[in-house]
Amino acid sequence: MFANNCMIKIYKFGGASIESSERVVQVAKIIEQALDQKLCVVISALGKTTNALEEIVFSYIENKLDVAKEKTLILKEKHNQYASSLVSKEISMIQEFIEDVFSTIYTIIEEPKEKEAAYYYDQIVSLGEILSTRIIAQHLTENEIPNVWVDIREILKTDNTYKDGVIFWEESLVNALKEIKPLLDKKHVVITQGFIGSTFDMQNVTLGREGSDYTGAVLANLLDAKSLTIWKDVPSLLSADPKIFPNPTPIEEITYHEVIEMAYYGAQVIHPKTIKPLQNKSIPLYVKCFLDEKLPGTKIYNTPQKISYPPLMVLKTKQVLLEVTTKDYSFITEKNLSSIYAYFYESKLKINLIQNAAISFVACVDTHEEKLQHLMKLLQTEYEIKRHDDLFLFTVRHYTQHALKEELKNRKVLLTQKTPETIQLVVQ
């Protein structure tokens, strides 16, 4: 879209990468090594800050004002200590900034509640990224890394869907080209926030699950960046969750499509909404380890070349298998299916696996008890229902018989569904 911007890169650092002064020093080192690039850095809130801010909001909503104020004071002190470990020359300025941010929180929780809970959630929870980025920007300045702190709320404009804001792309593009690109052209590192945007009247709006990764992807798209790099505390993407499966295989490269497939089946990889802005402009995504930047990590991109994958395994816990059978033994026809799907939709239950036979319909879903009770009440007016609880949904992309045999030891398989690429099994 614009000339001489091919070297723009977007880096995103999560809360774990900045949770201590030692880790921030490592982040600064990674940024310093990229100063020959046009670099925009997206940073999350300090580790566990978002959870702490959520607790403040919940206490406020539950009218526990003293609890909310106490939690606010604890979190403010945590940020003052954090700032003191990273900033020296301008510590008073940073402490004043911290004080102003927490004054905003105090002002909100002392006001009567006149709006929906999601509104107050976004006004408070969004402030974690504002705090962390301001502190880190000053740390970089004091270590002679030229940077400019940019408030992303001035750039990314959204609707007022609080907790899951929808970005207005055209307006955000104008803002990014006007405010961020000139700074990058001057070889300033731009430090900004993930997870948040704002309405046109500057009400804070959070962007939902994996919002910081999504922010990085959105900025990469708006700025026609060369790449987005998400820095994590793992060497790369793996073929399976190492907490569940022993000795998973590192993945050096993978397509956007494959990542979306894995996320759909429940893998904790990159959220599909992060992939879309990148895929639309064929911008590669790198997942790298901030603890050792020399490790190759994983490249996620479009490629016409066939990539050879190891078996990619996902295990979803707390699954329920529902068997829906017609009461009069009539066939499950298109009319029945339409009715059953409508009941699932009304109950807001996502189906993870589905299979139907002559007189039965089987679905595997997550355990959401309130939604399940609502669904079963609807179904029982027309159908017989059998429910099987405490199950697992085991999905393997690029499966091999050896991998299946090893992983299914001592498990009972209740349902199997497979294609040439993917096998899914509901197991006990």
Side-chain angles (χ1 to χ4, degrees), residues 321-328 330-351 353-365 371-372 374-386:
L321 193 65
L322 295 177
E323 289 186 65
V324 182
T325 307
T326 54
K327 289 183 176 181
D328 60 358
S330 60
F331 289 143
I332 292 286
T333 62
E334 288 79 5
K335 182 179 178 181
N336 295 121
L337 289 173
S338 177
S339 173
I340 292 169
Y341 282 132
Y343 290 148
F344 273 90
Y345 179 77
E346 182 179 335
S347 304
K348 298 180 180 179
L349 265 174
K350 175 181 176 290
I351 300 175
L353 185 147
I354 189 170
Q355 199 170 95
N356 64 280
I359 62 171
S360 66
F361 173 94
V362 182
C364 180
V365 298
K371 295 178 181 179
L372 276 165
H374 182 259
L375 172 65
M376 292 178 67
K377 185 177 180 180
L378 293 173
L379 289 170
Q380 284 168 347
T381 61
E382 303 175 50
Y383 305 96
E384 298 287 349
I385 312 296
K386 287 185 180 179

